[in-house]
Amino acid sequence: MTHPLRFGLKLSGQDTTIEALRAVWRIADESGFDHVWDFDHLASIGDGGPDRPIYEGWTLQAAIAEATKRVRIGCLVTGNTYRNPALLAKSAVTVDHLSGGRLEFGIGAAWAEIEHEMYGFEGLDHRVGRLSESLQIMKSLFTEERTTFDGRYYQFKDAIANPKPIQKPYPPLWIGASGPSTLRLVARHADVWNIAGGDPVRVKELTPMFEEACREVGRDQSEIRRSIQFGWDGKERTELLELSAAYLELGVTEQVIYLRGTEPARLAEKIADLLPDLRKLERATMAKDSAH
């Protein structure tokens, strides 16, 4: 295997409580998970409609940084159109410093039409182009003394961005993508490809597109880790182990278990109990590979 198998927990920040969020962060930190996540929406999504309680994703990441000691922190994924790239880069650097260099920087092109309509956010009709420019700008802000950029969507002139991130050259970039244009951005910029809307069948469908995008831009696809988020109802332990093994067989080494339901902390405890068995999957796969 090119990359180690790592596990995370995700509690979105939607339709939940601060107490539940803090409990999940503690479990992730103390039970040995590799990373812990929220998401980035300003109005609730899904079947329950947009008016349920929801907390802001980057503020939560700052809170996770202060509430934890070792687990890595991220948002699957930040909606690029919600913030100017300078503001987003500054938020990322702040969380990186607050956490002592534990930020995993998740970002995507955004998609929720209702949020753009309600709040007057622009750019959904050119979301991939905006994401492309934002990634270029933020990488420059993270690494250069001054950033000048004259793009179609963003213009920067001698922009200063200090301090720089703790992690060099910048926190790992997790880019969510499932279409040809965004997959090319993954190939150009990402440390991790977050496979949007993935199940094992979908991963099989998207992988050739990802590999082709890497060939088009001259990137070795093995450099890019692959991630997925998926749910488990907490009932049959074998179901979780088998699903994780199926993703690992497809090369997905960053696995994030999405906590849904009314008792996320209780579900997180169940997953924590299974974490040693989940980690054994990597050794089993390595032994299988060496036997061949």
Side-chain angles (χ1 to χ4, degrees), residues 10 18 23 87 95-96 100 106 110 120 125 127 131 161 172 187 189 200 207 218 230 234-235 244 252 266 287 289-290:
K10 176 178 177 178
I18 293 296
L87 174 60
V95 172
D96 198 47
D125 51 342
R127 63 197 191 103
L131 178 59
H189 299 288
T207 296
F230 59 93
K235 295 177 182 177
S244 177
V252 180
R266 184 176 178 185
D289 290 343
S290 62

Side-chain angles (χ1 to χ4, degrees), residues 133-190:
E133 291 191 4
S134 286
L135 289 165
Q136 296 172 64
I137 291 165
M138 289 189 290
K139 289 168 75 172
S140 179
L141 293 171
F142 289 149
T143 58
E144 304 296 333
E145 291 185 9
R146 297 286 192 278
T147 293
T148 295
F149 187 90
D150 186 16
R152 179 177 180 182
Y153 309 106
Y154 305 106
Q155 293 78 41
F156 281 62
K157 182 178 180 181
D158 292 330
I160 301 166
N162 292 318
K164 301 306 182 190
I166 289 177
Q167 299 179 81
K168 302 302 180 188
Y170 39 77
L173 290 172
W174 297 48
I175 301 178
S178 60
S181 298
T182 48
L183 284 170
R184 281 192 290 273
L185 294 182
V186 169
R188 288 191 183 98
H189 299 288

Side-chain angles (χ1 to χ4, degrees), residues 1-30:
M1 290 176 58
T2 307
H3 304 289
L5 177 60
R6 304 200 307 172
F7 292 97
L9 296 175
K10 176 178 177 178
L11 183 55
S12 66
Q14 166 181 298
D15 207 14
T16 190
T17 65
I18 293 296
E19 291 74 22
L21 287 159
R22 286 176 173 148
V24 168
W25 303 341
R26 176 187 57 77
I27 292 165
D29 199 42
E30 295 177 359

